[in-house]
Amino acid sequence: MIRSERLRHPMGGRTLQRYSKAMAQVTNLNRFRKARDKAARATQADANRAQFGRTKAQKAADAADVARREAALDAAKRDE
């Protein structure tokens, strides 16, 4: 692909047209590093949400469920 550029002549109004062969795309490594870090932070955030993102009602319901199961287990024990 040949790209053309129009340039203004420094001494007058005429324009110059310069053709250049397409060069390799310049890669900004900072962009890739930042994208990689952002993805890692998003993964960590998902893990944190799963671990710590429960409401007080959910925690209370889980505690009540554990207490109910322990009470049922204690009630089913035989006295020896």
Side-chain angles (χ1 to χ4, degrees):
M1 176 175 95
I2 296 178
R3 184 179 62 178
S4 67
E5 300 173 5
R6 291 203 175 268
L7 302 173
R8 289 227 174 248
H9 192 274
M11 299 300 286
R14 67 184 182 157
T15 59
L16 300 174
Q17 192 166 10
R18 179 176 70 190
Y19 293 97
S20 64
K21 292 186 179 181
M23 295 176 56
Q25 192 70 16
V26 176
T27 303
N28 186 350
L29 297 178
N30 284 334
R31 180 182 301 164
F32 290 107
R33 178 183 54 80
K34 288 180 182 180
R36 180 195 65 207
D37 293 346
K38 186 175 183 179
R41 285 193 308 269
T43 303
Q44 183 64 41
D46 286 340
N48 287 344
R49 273 189 227 107
Q51 186 175 4
F52 301 110
R54 297 176 12 194
T55 63
K56 188 181 274 189
Q58 289 171 332
K59 291 176 188 176
D62 287 344
D65 187 41
V66 168
R68 182 187 53 80
R69 281 188 276 143
E70 287 178 358
L73 183 63
D74 288 341
K77 285 185 179 178
R78 291 189 311 186
D79 292 329
E80 289 189 39

